[in-house]
C-alpha cells in the first residue's frame, strides 16, 4: 500500500509542451504539497492545499497550476515547459497544517518523486 | 536567504561508529525541527523531530540534539549501519506547513 503515489515517475518532453503530474494519498490527510528539487538538490515548496483550498503559492510562475479535485489528490499541470523546469517534483501530504504557537506540526509524507527532463 | 544550513555536503563513517550530522538555522521563529532521510530515486522519509521546548529527542539509534542559543541542531546515529547510507535533510516548518529544508548531507557508512 503506497501512502503517497505520483505518476509518472519519469517524464521526458520537449520545450513548449504542456504536461501534468498526478499525486494521490491514501492516508486520509487534509493537506497536500508540491515541492521541487532542483539540480543543486535544494528542496523547495511550491504549493500547499488544505481541504482543496490553496494555502501556499510560493512565487511559482503561473505556468504551474495545481488542481485539487478532492482531498486525496493534488495534480500539477505545467504549461509551456522550459528547460529550467527540469527537476524532480515531489508531492507530500500531512494530517494537519502547522498550528502556530503550539509546536504541533503535521509531519509531511513524501511521494517517490517525478523526474522531469525538458529537452 | 538560506534559513536552514547543512554545511557538510558529505560524511563518511565506519560501520558501528557514531555518525553526527549538523544543521544550523537563522530564523528564531522556528519552533520545531525535523530530520528526513532520502535514498536515491525515492522521496524523503521522516526520521525524527524535536520541539524547541526540548533539547534532546531519542528514537532507537537516532538522537537529535537542539541548542537554541547557538541555533544549532545535530543528529546522532549510534551505531551506524550500512543501511543508514543516504542523504539526510534537516528541515523546519513555518506557518501554513511550509517546510524549509537544508541542502542535505550525504552519509556513507562503510562496512
Amino acid at each position: 500500500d503506497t501512502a503517497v503515489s505520483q505518476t509518472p515517475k519519469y517524464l521526458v518532453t520537449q520545450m513548449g509542451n504542456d504536461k501534468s503530474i498526478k499525486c494521490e494519498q491514501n492516508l486520509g490527510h487534509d493537506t497536500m504539497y508540491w515541492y521541487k528539487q532542483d539540480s543543486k538538490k535544494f528542496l523547495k515548496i511550491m504549493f500547499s492545499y488544505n481541504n482543496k483550498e490553496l494555502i501556499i503559492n510560493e512565487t511559482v510562475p503561473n505556468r504551474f497550476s495545481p488542481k485539487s479535485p478532492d482531498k486525496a489528490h493534488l495534480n500539477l499541470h505545467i504549461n509551456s515547459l522550459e528547460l529550467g523546469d527540469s527537476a524532480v517534483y515531489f508531492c507530500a501530504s500531512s494530517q494537519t497544517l502547522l498550528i502556530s504557537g503550539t509546536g504541533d506540526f503535521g509531519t509531511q509524507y513524501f511521494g517517490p518523486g517525478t523526474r522531469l527532463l525538458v529537452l | 536567504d538560506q534559513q536552514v544550513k547543512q554545511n557538510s555536503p558529505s560524511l563518511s563513517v565506519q560501520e558501528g561508529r557514531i555518525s553526527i550530522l549538523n544543521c544550523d538555522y537563522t530564523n528564531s521563529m522556528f519552533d520545531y525541527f525535523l530530520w528526513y532521510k532520502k535514498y536515491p530515486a525515492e522521496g524523503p522519509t521522516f526520521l525524527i523531530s524535536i520541539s524547541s521546548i526540548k533539547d534532546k529527542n531519542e528514537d532507537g539509534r537516532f538522537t537529535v540534539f537542539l541548542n537554541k542559543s547557538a541555533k544549532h541542531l545535530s543528529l546522532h546515529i549510534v551505531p551506524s549501519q550500512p543501511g543508514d547510507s543516504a542523504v539526510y535533510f534537516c528541515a523546519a516548518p513555518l506557518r501554513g506547513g511550509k517546510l524549509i529544508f537544508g541542502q542535505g548531507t550525504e552519509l556513507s557508512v562503510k562496512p
Side-chain angles (χ1 to χ4, degrees):
Chain A
D1 280 349
T2 305
V4 182
S5 59
Q6 296 178 228
T7 54
K9 194 161 184 178
Y10 298 95
L11 186 52
V12 181
T13 188
Q14 299 288 330
M15 259 179 22
N17 284 350
D18 302 339
K19 290 293 177 187
S20 292
I21 307 172
K22 295 186 176 181
C23 178
E24 177 181 3
Q25 54 95 4
N26 62 8
L27 298 166
H29 288 170
D30 284 345
T31 310
M32 296 185 72
Y33 312 81
W34 278 108
Y35 285 84
K36 178 180 180 181
Q37 185 178 34
D38 60 23
S39 56
K40 294 183 179 177
K41 306 300 183 186
F42 284 105
L43 265 164
K44 291 187 179 174
I45 192 164
M46 301 172 68
F47 302 101
S48 75
Y49 269 74
N50 181 250
N51 285 319
K52 304 195 305 175
E53 180 186 350
L54 179 65
I55 302 298
I56 294 174
N57 182 339
E58 194 63 17
T59 60
V60 176
N62 57 16
R63 297 183 295 104
F64 290 79
S65 53
K67 296 240 179 340
S68 182
D70 55 57
K71 281 190 344 180
H73 296 85
L74 180 62
N75 303 323
L76 184 65
H77 189 75
I78 315 170
N79 289 327
S80 303
L81 277 155
E82 299 177 356
L83 294 176
D85 297 332
S86 296
V88 184
Y89 293 84
F90 290 100
C91 177
S93 73
S94 66
Q95 187 167 11
T96 64
L97 281 177
L98 176 67
I99 303 170
S100 67
T102 66
D104 288 340
F105 173 70
T107 298
Q108 295 184 21
Y109 296 87
F110 285 77
T114 294
R115 284 138 194 88
L116 171 65
L117 178 59
V118 182
L119 302 173
Chain B
D1 178 30
Q2 194 68 18
Q3 298 183 68
V4 178
K5 298 179 186 179
Q6 293 174 257
N7 292 318
S8 297
S10 62
L11 174 67
S12 183
V13 300
Q14 208 64 33
E15 181 179 5
R17 307 293 286 268
I18 185 171
S19 295
I20 300 176
L21 296 100
N22 294 305
C23 178
D24 297 298
Y25 62 96
T26 58
N27 191 336
S28 302
M29 298 299 293
F30 290 145
D31 62 3
Y32 205 82
F33 301 90
L34 306 94
W35 284 93
Y36 280 82
K37 175 179 178 179
K38 185 182 179 304
Y39 291 118
E42 294 184 11
T45 303
F46 170 70
L47 190 58
I48 192 169
S49 61
I50 188 166
S51 165
S52 62
I53 62 174
K54 295 185 176 182
D55 54 19
K56 176 182 172 181
N57 188 26
E58 192 172 349
D59 183 2
R61 296 185 298 113
F62 303 90
T63 304
V64 56
F65 295 92
L66 176 62
N67 182 334
K68 284 183 65 178
S69 60
K71 292 193 176 71
H72 176 83
L73 61 155
S74 61
L75 174 69
H76 292 210
I77 307 173
V78 183
S80 302
Q81 300 173 353
D84 296 330
S85 297
V87 178
Y88 289 80
F89 291 95
C90 169
L94 293 174
R95 294 184 190 194
K98 177 179 174 179
L99 264 183
I100 308 297
F101 282 88
Q103 310 95 303
T105 296
E106 184 170 7
L107 173 66
S108 176
V109 180
K110 302 202 181 299

